[in-house]
Amino acid sequence: MEEQLEHAARLLRGARRVAVLTGAGISAESGLATFRGAGGLWEGQRVEDVATPRAFERDAALVWRFYNLRRANLATVQPNPGHRALVDLENRLTGNFTLVTQNVDGLHQAAGSKNVLEIHGAIRLVRCTGCRLTTDRGVEPLPDLPKCEDCGSLLRPDVVWFEEMLPHDVWRQAEEAVGACECFLVIGTSAVVHPAAGLVSWARANHARIIEINLTATVATSYADTALQGPSGVVLPDLLKRYAEGKTVDS
Ligand code: BJW
Ligand code: ZN
């Protein structure tokens, strides 16, 4: 692990443009459940079966109950040392830093990250299914079938479900930043959901060096120059410490 950490710190120090992809694993140590694996099922069902527009058409109240629970839960959680280490990296880096997150929990911004691209939307935002007006409702509790104040249509969480397109402009910026980066960190994601997972091979095709941080090996591991296995709340602060220590030596 020591050697891998040093290798990763060196890759990071050698890069002026850094991009990061995060998934649910980075928020696990804040107390939020991940999607897949133990305890990661959505009310006993596979996320692929329920996080769809069809599920919302079938039973909007069920879907809203789930999102309201998650919104309420968000009011009780804080960013963890993994989120904070990424703030530290953004602040120390003199070049470009882009944080692409699949998470909808807003914890990167709560920690202080600035250049964040939320490619799967945000749980604090709601969107009208009629007039499409999007508003920030924070973590305030909403009814099981919340209605738009403007036109009275049903509201939905402003997140990206399966079979839906990612927000076009945000996705374009993510592709551009990852395609241009020299070092790409892939943190706490199973890397099975596309098109986000495709960013890993996209970075590789554009000659980025890739560092993965995860509890286990994933489909992204074979693309990684180095894979640091462990909780991101521990590994990321360790990596940042080494990065900062060696910075004056290397630069
Ligand atoms: C730790 C840790 C710790 C734990 N430290 N690590 C190409 C190929 C195949 C399929 C497709 C394809 N292109 C499109 C598709 C279809 C589909 C897809 O990808 N399906 C696959 C699953 C088979 N994709 C889509 O439908 C996307 N849309 C699209 O492509 O539009 C075009 C289209 C139009 C019409 C028809 C078809 C296509 C949209 C995908 C939207 C995903 N939405 C969700 C829900 C968001 C809202 C919400 O939160 O409720 O996004 S699903 C869910 O998965 C969520 C996540 O962002 C996403 C990724 O999950 P993530 O973050 O990786 O979490 P986990 O749980 O999987 O992994 C956690 C990891 O952390 C694990 O590895 C742990 O080991 C690790 N970990 N603790 C470090 N402490
Ligand atoms: Zn409306």
Side-chain angles (χ1 to χ4, degrees):
M1 187 64 165
E2 285 296 302
E3 241 169 67
Q4 282 149 315
L5 260 179
E6 192 47 48
H7 183 208
R10 234 181 300 121
L11 294 181
L12 209 46
R13 286 196 291 265
R16 277 164 298 128
R17 292 183 298 276
V18 174
V20 181
L21 174 69
T22 62
I26 195 165
S27 294
E29 288 152 87
S30 291
L32 296 178
T34 60
F35 291 92
R36 296 163 188 84
L41 300 176
W42 185 358
E43 293 196 349
Q45 303 179 74
R46 291 191 323 146
V47 68
E48 287 83 351
D49 294 337
V50 283
T52 65
R54 255 172 294 118
F56 189 66
E57 278 160 30
R58 201 167 48 230
D59 192 346
L62 170 75
V63 173
W64 261 116
R65 273 198 298 281
F66 171 69
Y67 280 94
N68 275 332
L69 275 176
R70 283 173 65 192
R71 290 161 63 85
N73 200 18
L74 271 187
T76 69
V77 302
Q78 302 288 334
N80 66 56
H83 296 104
R84 288 196 289 273
L86 291 178
V87 180
D88 196 11
L89 178 59
E90 183 171 19
N91 290 339
R92 287 177 183 278
L93 204 73
T94 45
N96 286 353
F97 177 88
T98 307
L99 174 43
V100 181
T101 186
Q102 300 168 85
N103 299 344
V104 297
D105 57 33
L107 287 178
H108 286 301
Q109 294 93 327
S113 287
K114 292 187 267 300
N115 197 18
V116 183
L117 298 173
E118 293 177 309
I119 58 173
H120 288 166
I123 211 167
R124 65 184 181 279
L125 300 179
V126 300
R127 186 168 85 232
C128 176
T129 57
C131 70
R132 303 202 153 264
L133 181 75
T134 302
T135 46
D136 190 336
R137 302 296 289 266
V139 291
E140 73 176 278
L142 294 169
D144 279 358
L145 290 173
K147 299 285 165 57
C148 174
E149 283 171 10
D150 266 29
C151 75
S153 304
L154 184 63
L155 296 174
R156 58 162 283 176
D158 192 26
V159 297
V160 181
W161 287 322
F162 283 109
E163 295 162 26
E164 292 187 312
M165 303 301 284
L166 275 59
H168 184 262
D169 197 44
V170 177
W171 175 248
R172 192 190 49 73
Q173 290 178 59
E175 267 188 323
E176 199 177 297
V178 173
C181 76
E182 293 158 324
C183 186
F184 188 41
L185 282 97
V186 182
I187 306 166
T189 177
S190 56
V192 294
V193 174
H194 288 267
L199 290 173
V200 183
S201 52
W202 175 241
R204 175 50 94 205
N206 286 281
H207 312 293
R209 308 302 296 269
I210 299 178
I211 302 168
E212 183 184 47
I213 299 174
N214 200 302
L215 292 181
T216 61
T218 71
V219 289
T221 309
S222 60
Y223 292 94
D225 291 280
T226 183
L228 305 173
Q229 279 198 7
S232 50
V234 174
V235 175
L236 266 170
D238 279 355
L239 177 59
L240 255 290
K241 192 162 172 282
R242 276 175 191 259
Y243 169 78
E245 279 168 3
K247 191 74 185 141
T248 45
V249 180
D250 290 16
S251 57

